[in-house]
Amino acid sequence: MIKMYVDHPLVKPETISLRKYQECIVSRAIDANTLVVLPTGLGKTIIAAMVSAYRLHKFPDSKILFLAPTRPLAVQHHKTFKRILNIEDMVVLTGMTPVGEREKLWNENRIIFATPQTIENDLLRGLSLENVSLIIFDECHRAVGNYSYVNIAREYMKTARNKLILGLTASPSSDNEIVNEICSNLFIERIEAKTDHDIDVKPYIQSVKIDWVKVELPHEFISVKKKIEEILREELRELKSMGYLETSDLTKINKRTLLEVQSEIRKEIVSGLDSYQQASLVASALKLNHALELLETQGISSLDNYLER
């Protein structure tokens, strides 16, 4: 069987061959703000690269901004784009990059990979998204509450000349209200969703073997982690005593659980119940949960930046 490679001026020759479902998603994502729901390993980054190539070809003087929740993810996407696209001006920006240097690198590059906290902080310092023709939100199911994605999307839609949003996720939520919130926060106009069972996807599904490797946190992290967990545990106990949670065990409570509780409390408030104290409590628990995640995945400096906001 002859392999048909993508022929595009901004794509390296004989680099990628799009699958049918990828072609379909790309063709629909180039002209409307799109949420792409695709199982892990089925080429969401390649779809993002192709939409980026289209936008840069259409708006050659513009920039692409690819946001990922963590630095390792941003670096990973940068490597994929480097392999695929015939574009040299790409850079990864994170909180580890000095502020003055970030401004210089932003101006010099066409595709910027960054963590959302970094961009949100730079927006406060005067960064303009006016010339960004596409923002990609990786793991866009995080675009709820006061997560940085929400503020960035809002600012982008207000200021960009040629705006387009692409949200990528493998698991948006089983709660329709949360999905609606994500779509609203990212100004989504179209949803492209595929599952393991779709005919055009099934041939590419591979069994996944997971090897868990436990990494010990540095000693100074552990004391901070324990303090945050102590406060979070107390708030979970309160939510449990109010009947919103079945357990206050930290190992059995995750962000999705708290978001579902938050959704339930919002419904109560809309119906006329005085549940504002509960709303404040779950909002605080979500912030603490996010603080723990930052500490464990990005380190003390990212946690400091988050707490200073």
Side-chain angles (χ1 to χ4, degrees), residues 213-229 289 291-301 303:
V213 179
K214 291 190 175 181
V215 179
E216 292 294 327
L217 288 173
H219 179 71
E220 60 270 22
F221 281 37
I222 294 174
S223 59
V224 176
K225 181 173 182 283
K226 283 182 177 177
K227 189 62 181 175
I228 296 173
E229 285 178 339
N289 181 266
L292 278 175
E293 183 181 328
L294 283 176
L295 178 66
E296 293 173 346
T297 60
Q298 298 186 43
I300 290 284
S301 60
L303 177 61

Side-chain angles (χ1 to χ4, degrees), residues 6 8 70 110 132 139 174 184 191 229 278:
V6 170
H8 188 282
T70 65
R110 299 177 73 190
V132 175
E139 295 196 10
S174 57
S184 174
I191 297 177
E229 285 178 339
Q278 294 92 318

Side-chain angles (χ1 to χ4, degrees), residues 135-189:
I135 290 191
I136 301 156
F137 293 93
D138 188 33
E139 295 196 10
C140 67
H141 52 272
R142 296 169 180 259
V144 293
N146 64 348
Y147 190 68
S148 299
Y149 278 179
V150 179
N151 294 328
I152 294 170
R154 190 182 301 123
E155 180 65 21
Y156 177 64
M157 293 301 288
K158 276 196 305 185
T159 59
R161 290 195 302 268
N162 302 297
K163 50 185 77 79
L164 187 69
I165 286 175
L166 179 65
L168 307 175
T169 183
S171 53
S173 175
S174 57
D175 187 325
N176 286 338
E177 188 169 333
I178 293 174
V179 174
N180 289 336
E181 183 182 356
I182 294 166
C183 290
S184 174
N185 288 340
L186 295 184
F187 302 88
I188 296 299
E189 302 163 305

Side-chain angles (χ1 to χ4, degrees), residues 24-189:
C24 180
I25 292 172
V26 169
S27 68
R28 291 172 63 79
I30 58 177
D31 61 3
N33 293 345
T34 304
L35 169 62
V36 175
V37 182
L38 201 59
T40 300
L42 291 181
K44 290 188 290 293
T45 308
I46 288 175
I47 290 169
M50 289 308 304
V51 176
S52 298
Y54 175 86
R55 295 297 283 181
L56 286 177
H57 190 248
K58 185 175 182 179
F59 305 105
D61 295 325
S62 70
K63 296 180 184 295
I64 306 294
L65 177 57
F66 196 131
L67 295 172
T70 65
R71 184 179 184 278
L73 272 176
V75 170
Q76 178 184 319
H77 294 314
H78 175 258
K79 286 180 180 176
T80 302
F81 270 50
K82 275 283 190 185
R83 178 176 61 83
I84 294 171
L85 298 183
N86 194 22
I87 298 170
E88 292 301 318
D89 306 327
M90 302 186 200
V91 70
V92 177
L93 301 181
T94 68
M96 298 171 67
T97 315
V99 174
E101 189 178 340
R102 286 207 301 266
E103 183 179 356
K104 179 173 178 287
L105 291 171
W106 174 276
N107 292 330
E108 291 175 349
N109 287 276
R110 299 177 73 190
I111 305 181
I112 294 95
F113 300 82
T115 52
Q117 294 84 4
T118 301
I119 296 301
E120 188 175 34
N121 288 337
D122 285 350
L123 286 173
L124 294 173
R125 296 187 181 97
L127 175 69
S128 172
L129 301 177
E130 181 184 7
N131 197 32
V132 175
S133 61
L134 171 68
I135 290 191
I136 301 156
F137 293 93
D138 188 33
E139 295 196 10
C140 67
H141 52 272
R142 296 169 180 259
V144 293
N146 64 348
Y147 190 68
S148 299
Y149 278 179
V150 179
N151 294 328
I152 294 170
R154 190 182 301 123
E155 180 65 21
Y156 177 64
M157 293 301 288
K158 276 196 305 185
T159 59
R161 290 195 302 268
N162 302 297
K163 50 185 77 79
L164 187 69
I165 286 175
L166 179 65
L168 307 175
T169 183
S171 53
S173 175
S174 57
D175 187 325
N176 286 338
E177 188 169 333
I178 293 174
V179 174
N180 289 336
E181 183 182 356
I182 294 166
C183 290
S184 174
N185 288 340
L186 295 184
F187 302 88
I188 296 299
E189 302 163 305

